[in-house]
Amino acid sequence: MAVYTDVSPEELEAFLATYDLGRLRAFKGIAEGVENSNYLLQTEAGSFILTLYEKRVNPADLPFFVGLMEHLATRGIDCPQPVRNREGIALGTLAGRPALIATFLLGTSVRRPTAANCAALGAALAGLHKAGADFTALHRANALSVAGWRPLYEQARDRADIVSPGLSTLIADELSVLEARWPAGLPAGVIHADLFPDNVFFTDGRLSGLIDFYFGCNDLLAYDVAICLNAWCFEPDGAFNQTKGRALLAAYQAERPLGADEIAALPLLARGAALRFLLTRLVDWLNVPPGALVRPHDPLEYLRKLRFHRSVTSPRDYGISEGTAA
Amino acid sequence: MAVYTDVSPEELEAFLATYDLGRLRAFKGIAEGVENSNYLLQTEAGSFILTLYEKRVNPADLPFFVGLMEHLATRGIDCPQPVRNREGIALGTLAGRPALIATFLLGTSVRRPTAANCAALGAALAGLHKAGADFTALHRANALSVAGWRPLYEQARDRADIVSPGLSTLIADELSVLEARWPAGLPAGVIHADLFPDNVFFTDGRLSGLIDFYFGCNDLLAYDVAICLNAWCFEPDGAFNQTKGRALLAAYQAERPLGADEIAALPLLARGAALRFLLTRLVDWLNVPPGALVRPHDPLEYLRKLRFHRSVTSPRDYGISEGTAA
């Protein structure tokens, strides 16, 4: 939940007056996203989401995020579309923060994805990768890919064993392997990099939208697939559900066939994706102020996933047939 | 901001299936209210607020709140209207909590009320008191009236001086005066008891709705007026704005003239109202867990207001003319 910056209705009315959205009808802080403050706006023109970008977001990245959402919307991807003001500018300033109004997307996220949900997600992910292919005007490196993991580890190494005995050594070993073997030369492009179930909306069982592009960046496309295998295909008891993996991968490949090199790299990419979320959750977990009302995500969920990926002997364990390579 | 209980879309869909509201279209936790969890629902039938009642609410009080909102809506008061399910029941259970779906009220609250806003509030408050007059099916005593203040003081007395030197003695003295002189025999009925600016919606400058009836109870009507004088008519610098007081009181009296006894009691009732919010804020302030993300309201704001009311020598200081008594 996230409303870090308080906006008065009076300030908002003045801000809205620079847009062609009519008068304000309702205005509520909403519990969505963890990095920024989000408000639901209802105006005479409809429903919108107002986002105020908080300190963890680098203002220099905002044009990339806004440009990406605009680009994807023109390519037919169902995602929030930035609204420009009367001067044609999307990014404004409100309550001392960079601020964006975007269209409101109908739909609800699923908590326990079914195999059908995973298939829909796989197809949408491939569609996103294809639609992003010609978004070349701006570039954003992935600060949370392999080069970014060791600095995170340094923040957590001394206290990691508080969370789980032996965790510090396990991460150090894993880091060495991944840094040495991380694939180069796989197809790259724009990735979402955080396409968890809460960022995907469904309406009547049909995937109706993707949100939260604030980890979007340029990186290996198959790494995005590996992130989704982690986020969508494990059961609450920690078991990988191969039926869901197969559904996700087959639907992805129907839209964008993976190369043999991408398929071969999947187990390693999946280890990397698990380590990335293990590390960021671990750092957050170790830095919660005592008594805080927001409980961070459990890092151990991703330790279990990492252990599964280390046990994988072939991409077939994810439900992919190597014969399906393009 | 408040989303204490997490509801999965799957649970919500099952709950909604017992209502005639069509299918779920969107669902977001909202930052409204401090006692309960609130969600915005959009269904095929429109927009609604889902409230889950948390532990600070006594389930035995819920029929009073729901009955009151239903009663007021039938009397033409713009307030959230409880939605009954197909079995005709308004209060359900969701995620282990008592749950209510109510209609969504358009409008936005004001942060810095103008005199015109105060006049609109005064008229609406009188309208509420008149509309509540025949809500006699249920009764709820005001746990936060004069008899409830000493127990609050006992929770805070030993540490009150941390917040402001001498505060503990000041409150003890004030309590003795108020307990001895609290008026009996003034007109009583249903009061809102928490009609702060964030619980009043305006649309295009017109008052369009009242929300949050969860302090609603039976008590002195003029005490509700005194609460509103405290909440609406002080400036950010702590000064009482007599123009706003006059606007509020005149508009109230145009709908429901105050008796001479009510007018004479106003300074004492205003002291009591200031002490009530001073005490609850003080207890909250002294009980914040270290590092908590929610900062409670400043108790000293109400200490300043209390000091003003102690300096008042006549009801005229609030902007009322004693000649206007009914």
Side-chain angles (χ1 to χ4, degrees):
Chain A
M1 58 195 291
V3 181
Y4 302 103
T5 298
D6 186 46
V7 177
S8 74
E10 291 86 348
E11 282 176 293
L12 177 60
E13 297 257 19
F15 183 70
L16 262 186
T18 67
Y19 289 80
D20 274 324
L21 297 176
R23 303 201 58 165
L24 185 62
R25 288 287 170 250
F27 168 47
K28 303 202 185 294
I30 60 174
E32 194 154 277
V34 291
E35 301 280 330
N36 302 310
S37 297
N38 289 292
Y39 289 91
L40 170 73
L41 305 187
Q42 294 189 357
T43 78
E44 289 174 307
S47 294
F48 302 88
I49 298 288
L50 166 70
T51 299
L52 303 193
Y53 297 98
E54 301 294 340
K55 287 175 186 149
R56 284 177 74 162
V57 172
N58 179 356
D61 285 335
L62 293 174
F64 178 89
F65 301 140
V66 171
L68 175 60
M69 286 189 275
E70 289 188 332
H71 176 88
L72 293 174
T74 65
R75 292 293 177 279
I77 303 294
D78 293 313
C79 67
Q81 187 153 10
V83 176
R84 291 173 176 264
N85 70 12
R86 281 203 204 87
E87 294 176 11
I89 296 166
L91 276 166
T93 301
L94 180 57
R97 300 268 185 277
L100 178 75
I101 296 176
T103 53
F104 180 91
L105 229 56
L106 287 178
T108 56
S109 55
V110 294
R111 193 64 55 92
R112 300 198 170 190
T114 62
N117 295 148
C118 293
L121 179 275
L125 182 66
L128 180 71
H129 290 168
K130 292 201 292 189
D134 60 344
F135 180 63
T136 52
L138 293 162
H139 189 276
R140 180 173 182 261
N142 188 0
L144 293 172
S145 190
V146 62
W149 299 337
R150 191 166 288 277
L152 286 170
Y153 173 58
E154 297 300 336
Q155 292 177 49
R157 66 183 301 165
D158 293 346
R159 290 184 294 149
D161 286 8
I162 298 170
V163 176
S164 177
L167 183 57
S168 189
T169 303
L170 181 145
I171 295 175
D173 293 347
E174 187 66 19
L175 259 182
S176 302
V177 171
L178 293 173
E179 285 170 346
R181 293 173 50 196
W182 199 248
L186 297 181
V190 172
I191 71 167
H192 185 285
D194 194 43
L195 204 47
F196 278 60
D198 51 342
N199 288 331
V200 179
F201 287 169
F202 290 85
T203 299
D204 298 338
R206 200 181 55 81
L207 191 151
S208 57
L210 309 176
I211 65 166
D212 202 347
F213 287 81
Y214 301 110
F215 289 95
C217 57
N218 296 87
D219 203 349
L220 308 180
L221 301 180
Y223 178 57
D224 222 9
V225 176
I227 289 171
C228 290
L229 286 171
N230 275 283
W232 288 75
C233 302
F234 284 85
E235 296 302 308
D237 68 2
F240 183 79
N241 184 322
Q242 204 182 87
T243 303
K244 294 181 181 177
R246 183 178 299 116
L248 191 160
L249 291 165
Y252 184 93
Q253 297 226 80
E255 292 289 324
R256 178 186 169 265
L258 292 162
D261 50 353
E262 293 180 290
I263 292 174
L266 263 189
L268 195 78
L269 294 170
R271 281 168 71 170
L275 184 66
R276 172 256 185 268
F277 289 100
L278 169 58
L279 281 168
T280 50
R281 288 182 176 197
L282 181 62
V283 168
D284 286 346
W285 190 272
L286 291 173
N287 291 290
V288 178
L293 292 178
V294 175
R295 199 153 57 112
H297 293 297
D298 180 9
L300 296 183
E301 178 189 339
Y302 273 83
L303 175 59
R304 289 188 291 271
K305 291 177 178 178
L306 176 58
R307 288 207 162 104
F308 168 77
H309 299 307
R310 282 157 59 122
S311 77
V312 159
T313 55
S314 149
R316 268 173 298 197
D317 292 346
Y318 294 113
I320 204 166
S321 151
E322 278 153 297
T324 62
Chain B
M1 58 195 289
V3 181
Y4 302 102
T5 298
D6 186 44
V7 178
S8 74
E10 291 87 346
E11 282 175 294
L12 178 59
E13 297 257 18
F15 183 70
L16 262 186
T18 67
Y19 288 79
D20 274 325
L21 297 176
R23 302 199 60 163
L24 186 61
R25 288 287 170 252
F27 168 47
K28 305 204 184 289
I30 60 175
E32 194 156 277
V34 291
E35 301 281 330
N36 302 312
S37 296
N38 288 293
Y39 289 90
L40 169 73
L41 305 187
Q42 295 188 355
T43 78
E44 289 174 309
S47 295
F48 301 89
I49 299 286
L50 166 69
T51 300
L52 302 193
Y53 298 98
E54 301 294 340
K55 287 175 186 148
R56 284 176 76 163
V57 173
N58 180 354
D61 284 335
L62 293 175
F64 178 89
F65 302 139
V66 171
L68 176 59
M69 286 189 275
E70 289 187 332
H71 176 87
L72 294 174
T74 65
R75 291 294 177 278
I77 303 293
D78 292 312
C79 66
Q81 187 153 10
V83 176
R84 291 172 175 264
N85 69 11
R86 281 204 205 86
E87 293 176 12
I89 297 165
L91 277 165
T93 302
L94 179 57
R97 299 270 185 277
L100 178 74
I101 295 176
T103 53
F104 180 90
L105 230 56
L106 286 178
T108 56
S109 56
V110 294
R111 192 65 55 90
R112 299 198 172 191
T114 61
N117 295 147
C118 292
L121 180 275
L125 183 67
L128 181 70
H129 290 168
K130 291 200 294 189
D134 60 343
F135 180 63
T136 51
L138 294 162
H139 188 275
R140 181 173 181 259
N142 187 2
L144 293 172
S145 191
V146 62
W149 300 336
R150 190 165 288 277
L152 286 170
Y153 173 58
E154 297 301 333
Q155 292 177 50
R157 65 183 300 164
D158 293 345
R159 290 185 294 148
D161 286 8
I162 298 170
V163 175
S164 177
L167 183 57
S168 190
T169 304
L170 182 145
I171 295 175
D173 293 348
E174 187 66 20
L175 259 182
S176 302
V177 171
L178 294 173
E179 285 170 347
R181 294 173 47 196
W182 198 248
L186 297 181
V190 172
I191 71 168
H192 185 286
D194 194 41
L195 204 48
F196 277 60
D198 52 343
N199 289 332
V200 179
F201 288 169
F202 290 85
T203 299
D204 299 338
R206 199 181 56 78
L207 191 150
S208 57
L210 309 176
I211 65 166
D212 202 346
F213 287 82
Y214 301 111
F215 289 94
C217 56
N218 297 87
D219 203 349
L220 307 180
L221 300 179
Y223 178 56
D224 221 8
V225 176
I227 289 171
C228 289
L229 286 172
N230 275 283
W232 287 76
C233 302
F234 284 85
E235 296 303 308
D237 68 2
F240 183 79
N241 184 320
Q242 203 181 89
T243 305
K244 293 180 181 177
R246 186 177 298 118
L248 191 159
L249 291 165
Y252 184 93
Q253 296 226 82
E255 293 289 324
R256 179 186 168 265
L258 291 162
D261 49 353
E262 292 179 291
I263 292 173
L266 263 188
L268 195 78
L269 294 170
R271 282 168 72 168
L275 184 66
R276 172 255 185 268
F277 289 100
L278 170 57
L279 281 168
T280 50
R281 289 182 175 198
L282 182 61
V283 168
D284 286 346
W285 190 272
L286 292 172
N287 292 292
V288 178
L293 292 178
V294 174
R295 198 153 58 112
H297 293 297
D298 180 10
L300 295 183
E301 177 190 339
Y302 273 83
L303 175 58
R304 288 188 292 271
K305 292 177 178 179
L306 176 58
R307 287 206 164 106
F308 169 77
H309 298 307
R310 281 157 60 122
S311 76
V312 159
T313 55
S314 149
R316 269 173 298 198
D317 292 345
Y318 296 112
I320 203 166
S321 150
E322 277 153 299
T324 62

